[in-house]
Amino acid sequence: GIAVLDHDRARRRGYPEAVFCEGKSPAQLRAIATALRDRHRGEPDAVVPRTLFTRADEERAAAVLEVLPEALYEPEARLLAWPPAPPEPSGGLVVVACAGTSDLPVAREAELTARYLGRRTELVVDVGIAGLHRILGRVDTLRSAAAIVVVAGMDGALPGVVAGLVSAPVVAVPTSVGYGASFDGLAALLTMLNSCAPGVGVVNIDNGYGGGHLAAQIAADRA
Amino acid sequence: GIAVLDHDRARRRGYPEAVFCEGKSPAQLRAIATALRDRHRGEPDAVVPRTLFTRADEERAAAVLEVLPEALYEPEARLLAWPPAPPEPSGGLVVVACAGTSDLPVAREAELTARYLGRRTELVVDVGIAGLHRILGRVDTLRSAAAIVVVAGMDGALPGVVAGLVSAPVVAVPTSVGYGASFDGLAALLTMLNSCAPGVGVVNIDNGYGGGHLAAQIAADRA
Amino acid sequence: GIAVLDHDRARRRGYPEAVFCEGKSPAQLRAIATALRDRHRGEPDAVVPRTLFTRADEERAAAVLEVLPEALYEPEARLLAWPPAPPEPSGGLVVVACAGTSDLPVAREAELTARYLGRRTELVVDVGIAGLHRILGRVDTLRSAAAIVVVAGMDGALPGVVAGLVSAPVVAVPTSVGYGASFDGLAALLTMLNSCAPGVGVVNIDNGYGGGHLAAQIAADRA
Amino acid sequence: GIAVLDHDRARRRGYPEAVFCEGKSPAQLRAIATALRDRHRGEPDAVVPRTLFTRADEERAAAVLEVLPEALYEPEARLLAWPPAPPEPSGGLVVVACAGTSDLPVAREAELTARYLGRRTELVVDVGIAGLHRILGRVDTLRSAAAIVVVAGMDGALPGVVAGLVSAPVVAVPTSVGYGASFDGLAALLTMLNSCAPGVGVVNIDNGYGGGHLAAQIAADRA
Amino acid sequence: GIAVLDHDRARRRGYPEAVFCEGKSPAQLRAIATALRDRHRGEPDAVVPRTLFTRADEERAAAVLEVLPEALYEPEARLLAWPPAPPEPSGGLVVVACAGTSDLPVAREAELTARYLGRRTELVVDVGIAGLHRILGRVDTLRSAAAIVVVAGMDGALPGVVAGLVSAPVVAVPTSVGYGASFDGLAALLTMLNSCAPGVGVVNIDNGYGGGHLAAQIAADRA
Amino acid sequence: GIAVLDHDRARRRGYPEAVFCEGKSPAQLRAIATALRDRHRGEPDAVVPRTLFTRADEERAAAVLEVLPEALYEPEARLLAWPPAPPEPSGGLVVVACAGTSDLPVAREAELTARYLGRRTELVVDVGIAGLHRILGRVDTLRSAAAIVVVAGMDGALPGVVAGLVSAPVVAVPTSVGYGASFDGLAALLTMLNSCAPGVGVVNIDNGYGGGHLAAQIAADRA
Amino acid sequence: GIAVLDHDRARRRGYPEAVFCEGKSPAQLRAIATALRDRHRGEPDAVVPRTLFTRADEERAAAVLEVLPEALYEPEARLLAWPPAPPEPSGGLVVVACAGTSDLPVAREAELTARYLGRRTELVVDVGIAGLHRILGRVDTLRSAAAIVVVAGMDGALPGVVAGLVSAPVVAVPTSVGYGASFDGLAALLTMLNSCAPGVGVVNIDNGYGGGHLAAQIAADRA
Amino acid sequence: GIAVLDHDRARRRGYPEAVFCEGKSPAQLRAIATALRDRHRGEPDAVVPRTLFTRADEERAAAVLEVLPEALYEPEARLLAWPPAPPEPSGGLVVVACAGTSDLPVAREAELTARYLGRRTELVVDVGIAGLHRILGRVDTLRSAAAIVVVAGMDGALPGVVAGLVSAPVVAVPTSVGYGASFDGLAALLTMLNSCAPGVGVVNIDNGYGGGHLAAQIAADRA
Ligand SMILES: Nc1ncnc2c1ncn2[C@@H]1O[C@H](COP(=O)(O)O)[C@@H](O)[C@H]1O
Ligand SMILES: Nc1ncnc2c1ncn2[C@@H]1O[C@H](COP(=O)(O)O)[C@@H](O)[C@H]1O
Ligand SMILES: Nc1ncnc2c1ncn2[C@@H]1O[C@H](COP(=O)(O)O)[C@@H](O)[C@H]1O
Ligand SMILES: Nc1ncnc2c1ncn2[C@@H]1O[C@H](COP(=O)(O)O)[C@@H](O)[C@H]1O
Ligand SMILES: [Mg+2]
Ligand SMILES: [Mg+2]
Ligand SMILES: [Mg+2]
Ligand SMILES: [Mg+2]
Ligand SMILES: [Mg+2]
Ligand SMILES: [Mg+2]
Ligand SMILES: [Mg+2]
Ligand SMILES: [Mg+2]
């Protein structure tokens, strides 16, 4: 076979494996989706671990939807979820904040990931530090969160500012928004790693999936 | 004055400001320690927020100890704590694991930070992936943690291996242990950011303080 | 002429020259294929050293196939072989393992190269470290190899894990699979160069040809 | 000779040449100081353009002071000024703000440079973004400036925050304060170049001299 | 909403927010333009702060023009201005000089930005240092400026040469013009940051908007 | 005007200015070609300094040829020459050697440049170090040169090998041929800068024009 | 304890663990040496797996020798071996060649490692490509090897030249010998990864231990 | 032996090998010097090829002088020459120009190398572009040269300016003079590689030896 899905992950970690679609051909994705469908045929919805397909462009999404037509596809976030309904939420609130409108796709990927892993979520958009009153006006929302995902490109300064205002952990997601010396998100990444406010954990550039996953783990109820 | 301590931080965030000693002169540190002492003179121990002095070499530690002789100094972790007794532990367990003996100073800095921020901690040493049975033999300890700090230099592969085995969030701390193409920790940092197991939040190279702080926040009881 | 093929290489090294197709025009490739064909016209199959054309996209492959219609073309591996039949295998087994499905094209290039240089090969797919039981379940296969090629993108951690489990040399091939701070394979490359398990030799990013070639040399019978 | 001082610069630009001491031997600095002294011997103080010696450690400063004993030396800023008295101030106010105590040497170099080029200056210390109330409490001072120099290491986020609050131009000076992925000031430099608030001009890492010089030009009265 | 325009910026800073179009979809830009139009409906031209839309390609410009048909669009500079008439000029002259013809788009973006923020501007083209007589022949123009924007790619040497000739501040804008070891403008950026003539403030690669904005601030009359 | 051609360069340097076409629009190139044609209308061929247009793709070449139909265009080298006939050769021989077939476009650009600046040239193709006998078989040709341009991608090792065999200066031109850790020519560039054989001067990646120009200067007869 | 030696490695891999001394304190090394000694007390020499201590400066070597006085210490290679006698050689010959005299310490570390892992070795010194006749004069030695370690700094071109001449695998070890754009061995590393001759596996900069280990594995007799 | 001097180089290339002293121990240098002395014992001065020892600090120089007491040592250039007298000059003039006083050691190394390889030389100091009249005042000297070495750190802009003024080839030597974003000479190196004036060949950072060697070759009389 071309893929060995880590079906054991849900048991071992409590969260199922996701399929990374970039770099897989539509034919390969069809094969993976078929294997998934066949495995869970006849099982009641409750016991099927939800599977996410990440970074799926329109062509790859179509290939998956051919096999799993009931799956949900969010083009902006490039995310597919199957089965389509998110689980009943548990744990604390995950707030996802992004610095600019251009960061929305990554922020939405984070938000949906957290929701499909079982958390309540809230999205706060376009609150970059160039106009500080915007984020300061949302401090109450931020303080109600059990985990905060902060998404930013360009200077990447927002996560540090947020971390300085709250007690919850901040998951920082740098984006490739910007140009020139932003070096496709490297500048934002370095800013976040050097945050002078402690309490910031950083994931890969444009990794909304990873940011939402980590936040969902942080906000989970402890066994 | 040469410094404006963020005394409000304990109220705002629940964790007090730490003093970064690198790049400050002994004279400046004496002044800061004096301001701190004068502020809390006469207050009962319970209400004084514990202050950490990080990355303090012997000379800088001596300067602080002159003013705050009762402070505790851990040379390996280059950490000072004042007042010296850690708070009564609350929240979940923080496990700190490190890949090699050479990563110990950073791992100890993380462990002590988490303990002074109020968590129980446990240290697991020299369990790098070159001999996989070592970390596999400690899975029970790892699974008992509410947050795991994983410290590694060279290839930086340990945090991803750990994240793949547990449900708790992993805080990854790359170290500058290594040579040549480790580029002073850059190789380990990149490995961790690209972890193919989700659930890894990365902090700066050699940033044991930041790793311990974030883990303490994650393992805290939610209000 | 536009090319001076190193016909002497098979005599000098025991392995024939390969033609790197990227950056050559279809017209240039037709000319090279013609020169090759003319040189070996009328010679019996046994004495013609097999020639590989690497990194050949569909357009370039078509140009070669026009002149050498009996050549074998594997589009996934972007490889052409002429004459099409691999030699009778000799030497030890070459195992090629890859971390994810997206690494398959590079893994296949390595496998085919090793086979056309005269080795038996076996392919192990999608055994990345996020689900460690997958590679641990294949240790017997790995231990039966005389040389192991390990192909991985993203964090690039798999070669080090494999090297820690076996006595055979590991040839590590980083791939450009990933995004953001994977920097097109740089992260995986650095991980492999810093492997804390010794016994890992690294080749260029996405260089399946080079990985398969080196493994074939290692697994050859010594004169 | 070993040096050709640009004596014409004061006439051409309105500001005299400064001597960069790093990489010059004490003997070379003595020779340069002697040439300067001999050139201005007997001239009244008013017409002698003030000369600054920058990045002068104790040993180099001593070499200059041997020849020009009346020069002023500020060890923290590593700056010598000769003649020692700054000119009568003109133009607008230059405010120099720095994020942390460790940035003070660079901030002082900027402040002294601006003062010796003829501006009034004011210094604001330790107002980094981890405790945002500190800089917000100084907005009135910032708004009274004709040019603001903002000095920061680590995440380098302060200049963007300041620029978003005021109408005056901000000169951003990244410092090498930090460690690990701060890469000796590169992280702060990139943050500043990618500031999402416009109105930020960046100079070299640790270049307090350049920052103060540019601010003095901006705050000058126009002819 | 998908955007939270910083309408307060004009009051706070004296200059209105600009909309960064790259990375926003045409639909998002239509929504932002509509919000802007609705806000200012019925207000006389004089009190509407001019809004710039930067880095707008033909498709994005068309989306904005659908909603704001009277807006002015300069395709070379990729800039939209609404309302279309620049304000009555005040303050000093902003001279924009560029090293080569290929730098013109960035130079024009800088010039238009400065004009729409209220300054008189003059453009000097193709005066790179390979033929030094060209810039030397324009020294009078340069000396008449209150602020000079110098735009250059490749070696990026022109800003330092200009700064050495004048007393006005120089805003240096590196461009991505060049190839190979220009690394998309990095070489020019580094040259400018290391300028051996003081008085150079650097903005991001290809950031004509930022360069023109800073120059407009520098050349403004002080309150 | 959009361009200020450095017509004085031929007088000052002995070699005319070349027009860099990348990043100029066809309309701009038409304007520059028209200015050139108008300037030299009616002058006899002998006194018109030959102008080269470099890095001209088909579309840009067509724009120039519209105005200067008699110009010569070499698509492989992306070079236009006007007037089309090279000057009568003088000085020593320029040998251009390249490591692989894929380096030919850059090698041809170098060769044509040297010829249009007045030198005799000879081209040696596909003599890379993987089959050392190829370059060793051409030592006589190399030793007959007054200047040698060596063009190589991937490992970039050929210029150092050549320099170790001859007394003439070697001009090394790295190319972007390669992939992965060749980083678009950076690996070859660094190899050449670190050549352990002295006598190697390096120009920019893919800069055939610069390599041919420098070689033509070296091989010129001294006044 | 501070260390968990991988005693199982000899059984699992056939080669014992080595102790990396850099970054360990003398006290830690004494403790590790003591644990090792106590474990093997009373066992006959034949069954004790040989342990290497790598990158041990004089001070660290002394600490080990205090506990294991019979160990052998080679200061140039910074290597300790205990027990001191290498095993009876088996397998093929390992040839170690280095480009310059300055590469000797790394070459010796490789040679000793291979010998202590059970191979016969031969050393070839100062045969860099600037004088090609030197390596060409040693082709017979190279062709007698089962594995060749090639050590080079600066341009790092030697491994590719050697690989082009032989059928045995080449293990390339870049060194930090050089300055400026050698970037501490990065230039040599990239050259080796981009070798246009296949058959080169690369290890970390200055990693003589890793190079010798891999070569010993390659040259081992297959079970 | 530890070294295989390339004695054939003088015959093959016309210039003798130099000994790179950095990274060699004093004992190794004594051995090399002894071999050299023994080889030429009794030969008349005229036929002994002059040998240079480069980058020799005081300690290494002393080791060589012990064996070859008549050798000449220039500490500023860190250069030893043996026999001490330079050859009778031939060929054209080599002019060495440097931007600042701090570049003098590298400039002197270049000058002495060219003189010991047989050229007349002239040194022009401290003529950086911040005060352009300085280099413009030396154009006559520059135009009298057959080859010009231009040495500069920081912005590295001088070689391009010089190349634009003359017909002779320019050898550019970047230096590590500067700080921060000069990245130890990288900024100057990139500037020189991207020089918009053609006719610049670049050597390694701080490589005065290589710069002088190449210039001597260029200025040599052709056979
Ligand atoms: N968008 C993503 N970013 C990072 N990792 C991912 C992403 N999507 C899936 N993964 C992880 O990547 C690993 C390899 O994926 P695959 O190539 O599908 O085997 C899986 O274990 C996933 O958990
Ligand atoms: N071309 C540009 N380059 C850099 N910054 C810009 C540019 N255009 C707008 N901005 C700024 O980028 C910030 C974020 O933009 P937005 O994504 O539209 O919220 C705004 O505050 C603008 O001032
Ligand atoms: N010089 C060396 N270079 C690279 N790896 C080494 C070196 N010496 C020992 N190692 C490996 O580094 C790993 C970690 O060593 P330690 O820190 O001693 O636990 C061990 O598994 C060794 O095999
Ligand atoms: N300062 C220098 N910079 C660069 N190359 C040098 C220098 N000095 C000597 N070389 C060359 O470096 C090569 C290797 O030197 P060695 O390590 O002495 O064998 C010799 O061929 C020298 O020509
Ligand atoms: Mg916005
Ligand atoms: Mg260990
Ligand atoms: Mg998988
Ligand atoms: Mg502070
Ligand atoms: Mg031009
Ligand atoms: Mg070829
Ligand atoms: Mg040598
Ligand atoms: Mg000077």
Side-chain angles (χ1 to χ4, degrees), chain H residues 103-136:
Chain H
D103 301 313
L104 255 177
V106 177
R108 284 288 290 155
E109 188 190 17
E111 193 195 12
L112 284 169
T113 299
R115 195 177 295 162
Y116 274 94
L117 296 188
R119 301 299 157 261
R120 279 178 307 119
T121 63
E122 187 166 341
L123 189 63
V124 174
V125 180
D126 201 16
V127 291
I129 62 149
L132 214 50
H133 56 288
R134 294 177 298 184
I135 190 71
L136 292 177

Side-chain angles (χ1 to χ4, degrees), chain C residues 1-6 8-9 12 20 22-24 28 55 186 189 204-207, chain F residues 76 100-102 104 125-127 130-134 154 177-183:
Chain C
I2 54 152
V4 183
L5 276 198
D6 182 4
D8 178 61
R9 196 189 287 182
R12 206 169 65 240
F20 176 65
E22 225 174 67
K24 296 204 174 71
Q28 290 175 329
R55 298 180 80 91
L186 177 62
L189 170 65
N204 195 9
I205 296 163
D206 289 332
N207 189 4
Chain F
E76 185 173 34
T101 305
S102 312
L104 256 177
V125 180
D126 202 15
V127 291
L132 213 52
H133 56 289
R134 295 177 299 185
M154 289 180 165
V177 170
Y179 58 91
S182 90
F183 297 125

Side-chain angles (χ1 to χ4, degrees), chain D residues 169 218 222, chain E residues 15 90-94 118-120 145-148 213-222:
Chain D
I218 294 172
R222 273 204 284 284
Chain E
Y15 308 96
S90 66
L93 175 71
V94 170
R119 299 299 156 264
R120 279 177 308 119
I148 305 172
H213 195 292
L214 181 57
Q217 289 172 274
I218 295 172
D221 287 329
R222 273 202 285 283

Side-chain angles (χ1 to χ4, degrees), chain E residues 99-101 126-128 134, chain F residues 3-5 17 24:
Chain E
T101 304
D126 202 16
V127 291
R134 294 178 298 184
Chain F
V4 183
L5 277 198
E17 181 168 18
K24 295 202 173 73

